[in-house]
Amino acid sequence: MSMEEGGTKSIKEKNVDLSEYLIDRLKQLEEEYVRLKNLYKRLEDEKRFVETERIRYEREVRRLRSEIERLRSPPLIVGVISDVLEDGKVVVKSSTGPKFVVHTSQNINPEDLKPGARVSMNQQTLAIISVLPPPKDPSVYGFEIYDKPDVSYSDIGGLNKQIEEIREAVELPLLKPKLFEEVGIEPPKGVLLYGPPGTGKTLLAKAVANQTKATFIRVVGSEFVQKYIGEGARLVREVFQLAKEKAPSIIFIDELDAIAARRTSSDTSGDREVQRTLMQLLSEMDGFDNRGDVKIVGATNRIDILDPAILRPGRFDRIIEVPLPNYEGRVQIFKIHTRKMKLADDVDFRELAEMTEGASGADIKAIATEAGMFAIRNEKTIVSREDFIKAIEKIMKKDKKLPEIKGVMFI
Ligand SMILES: Nc1ncnc2c1ncn2[C@@H]1O[C@H](COP(=O)(O)OP(=O)(O)OP(=O)(O)O)[C@@H](O)[C@H]1O
């Protein structure tokens, strides 16, 4: 009897155990379900994120591919249409001389194809790629023109001697031409600024233009000879023409070395193109009156490779060195580029200047901007000494990282 009782109990107990077990198991499964559901949601989110990242990278790859394509594409030749034939072909005179019968791109509106129109052509097939705007439009050549640049002498740090020299050579003749006549001397025609990159050469030229209310025309030497083959000499002519029309004006030729490097023995068509451009520049400089109100300021990082012809009297006859700033200069440049920043009391320009031996004005500007960025990253609006120190480390390290390759200047 007792056995039987005991047996029934155990069956009951077993049932209780089983139902407890099942409830437990159910709970576990429910929890597992919730966990998997969350995991699924997280994976879905991650999938979406990865998907958008993929699309972003694909877009970036496409952009870089087209950039590579663009950089690889050969320069175009400039020509002038002499006749439009009935079959849609066109007779063009290339800027290097001979005439050709060529095809045109389908993207060109046939109405734009008129005799006299300037066009760009593929180097190999000479097919017309586009019709260029009329030559008088200075933007065609990428000339930068400012009626009155907004840079003043007070924006330039550590170049007092250079400012004095450029004022004497460019500003005085523009503002007081009579003075030179009375004394009976010819004012300098052109001034050459030379020195390492980012030291303020462009800034100096802009400040003189501002002070004399002259139009500032900036052209880049390498663009004269690289953008449109066979056009360098004509571009030089056009810049001088434009400068005369906009007088008083200052022509600032950046990267002068690209068109005025000493002649080498090689005789490629590229060299001949550079030669023609330089000849045109020399003849323009010789041809105009130095008492006039057009002044030329050239800039180069490589005075050592310039053709001596360009430095002869009556051409670039004042040469001004624009070196890397010394300690005092760096203090001043730090002051200039932090004028609009809110600085903590622990920022000491003297200390910063000591830490930035060898930095250019452009480097110091970059340090100030970077210090501001560090402050923003830490959600501060006041920039502290620590932000500057981090910025100096970052910018000065970047400078040092540049590879050293003999004979090559990194600009
Ligand atoms: N002496 C300086 N005082 C204040 N700012 C300077 C000075 N030098 C350079 N900078 C800053 O660096 C920037 C670049 O300088 P700038 O274009 O005048 O150099 P550059 O000598 O013409 O260089 P590059 O040879 O590369 O053309 C300027 O916009 C300016 O903000």
Side-chain angles (χ1 to χ4, degrees):
M1 179 75 180
S2 66
M3 272 270 289
E4 212 174 76
E5 252 176 294
T8 332
K9 247 186 200 174
S10 76
I11 289 176
K12 254 189 204 164
E13 265 174 16
K14 268 186 195 159
N15 280 345
V16 170
D17 281 355
L18 187 65
S19 63
E20 263 175 12
Y21 166 76
L22 285 176
I23 290 171
D24 241 23
R25 184 77 189 122
L26 203 66
K27 250 194 218 149
Q28 266 177 23
L29 285 175
E30 257 168 16
E31 274 167 17
E32 184 67 8
Y33 170 72
V34 171
R35 197 182 64 79
L36 286 176
K37 209 166 125 186
N38 284 342
L39 186 67
Y40 171 74
K41 236 171 98 196
R42 225 189 47 231
L43 288 176
E44 272 286 295
D45 282 352
E46 268 173 29
K47 187 179 142 212
R48 252 201 310 278
F49 174 74
V50 170
E51 193 66 12
T52 46
E53 280 290 275
R54 186 181 63 83
I55 293 174
R56 202 170 62 80
Y57 282 125
E58 270 177 11
R59 206 177 300 142
E60 184 68 10
V61 167
R62 266 203 304 279
R63 195 186 63 76
L64 291 174
R65 280 226 179 94
S66 71
E67 178 74 8
I68 292 175
E69 226 20 58
R70 203 173 60 79
L71 293 176
R72 275 205 189 133
S73 62
L76 302 172
I77 295 186
V78 174
V80 176
I81 297 183
S82 5
D83 200 2
V84 181
L85 306 177
E86 294 202 335
D87 56 1
K89 288 191 192 151
V90 173
V91 182
V92 282
K93 187 172 184 309
S94 82
S95 50
T96 44
K99 283 187 176 179
F100 299 95
V101 177
V102 299
H103 288 282
T104 63
S105 154
Q106 286 178 340
N107 299 333
I108 299 177
N109 181 356
E111 284 178 15
D112 294 339
L113 295 169
K114 290 187 196 120
R118 284 156 41 82
V119 290
S120 65
M121 303 183 294
N122 179 297
Q123 237 189 78
Q124 269 156 14
T125 63
L126 296 181
I128 295 179
I129 307 291
S130 69
V131 178
L132 298 173
K136 265 282 133 64
D137 178 358
S139 66
V140 181
Y141 306 122
F143 300 166
E144 271 176 48
I145 302 179
Y146 306 92
D147 283 338
K148 189 171 170 266
D150 55 356
V151 174
S152 73
Y153 294 127
S154 62
D155 297 323
I156 306 176
L159 295 176
N160 294 345
K161 199 175 105 239
Q162 286 78 358
I163 291 178
E164 212 173 282
E165 282 188 59
I166 202 168
R167 289 187 77 165
E168 204 179 281
V170 183
E171 188 181 313
L172 209 58
L174 280 175
L175 294 181
K176 297 191 177 142
K178 284 254 158 56
L179 202 64
F180 286 82
E181 256 171 56
E182 276 163 24
V183 179
I185 53 165
E186 301 269 311
K189 248 185 210 178
V191 175
L192 178 67
L193 307 174
Y194 78 94
T199 43
K201 297 181 286 297
T202 313
L203 224 49
L204 273 171
K206 278 189 178 167
V208 189
N210 168 296
Q211 189 74 13
T212 51
K213 300 195 172 59
T215 311
F216 179 80
I217 305 173
R218 175 174 180 267
V219 292
V220 181
S222 55
E223 287 185 2
F224 273 135
V225 283
Q226 283 167 7
K227 253 193 174 164
Y228 296 110
I229 297 176
E231 287 287 278
R234 216 169 71 88
L235 290 185
V236 169
R237 224 167 26 241
E238 241 143 58
V239 174
F240 277 80
Q241 184 58 36
L242 186 76
K244 281 177 209 153
E245 281 167 23
K246 299 241 173 204
S249 54
I250 290 175
I251 305 177
F252 179 68
I253 311 179
D254 213 350
E255 295 178 26
L256 184 67
D257 42 281
I259 46 169
R262 202 174 300 138
R263 273 154 256 212
T264 54
S265 48
S266 73
D267 190 29
T268 62
S269 65
D271 289 339
R272 282 197 298 275
E273 166 74 9
V274 171
Q275 277 312 309
R276 272 199 301 271
T277 309
L278 174 58
M279 287 307 155
Q280 188 64 41
L281 176 65
L282 296 180
S283 92
E284 289 290 342
M285 288 188 83
D286 292 344
F288 80 87
D289 179 3
N290 25 353
R291 272 153 303 190
D293 39 14
V294 176
K295 293 281 165 220
I296 308 163
V297 179
T300 179
N301 304 320
R302 299 289 316 265
I303 193 162
D304 54 314
I305 59 163
L306 286 191
D307 190 322
I310 196 109
L311 305 174
R312 253 177 239 143
R315 291 171 181 168
F316 287 102
D317 39 18
R318 272 288 178 102
I319 299 175
I320 303 176
E321 184 184 1
V322 185
L324 286 172
N326 59 14
Y327 168 75
E328 283 303 330
R330 293 196 296 277
V331 172
Q332 276 189 39
I333 301 172
F334 265 116
K335 277 190 193 155
I336 290 169
H337 288 294
T338 51
R339 266 187 208 145
K340 291 187 190 148
M341 292 163 79
K342 276 191 223 144
L343 301 179
D345 288 342
D346 61 357
V347 176
D348 176 4
F349 294 135
R350 308 212 145 253
E351 183 197 18
L352 300 181
E354 260 167 30
M355 296 174 68
T356 44
E357 170 96 58
S360 68
D363 291 334
I364 295 179
K365 182 182 183 183
I367 289 171
T369 312
E370 197 58 49
M373 288 307 296
F374 276 119
I376 290 175
R377 263 176 234 144
N378 293 325
E379 294 175 15
K380 296 182 300 177
T381 51
I382 296 179
V383 188
S384 67
R385 172 178 180 273
E386 199 197 332
D387 297 323
F388 274 97
I389 309 264
K390 278 197 258 171
I392 289 174
E393 270 168 18
K394 184 168 171 190
I395 303 290
M396 301 294 281
K397 212 189 282 159
K398 208 190 292 171
D399 271 9
K400 285 207 191 88
K401 264 199 205 143
L402 287 178
E404 275 175 31
I405 300 174
K406 225 174 148 205
V408 177
M409 274 214 57
F410 288 90
I411 305 176

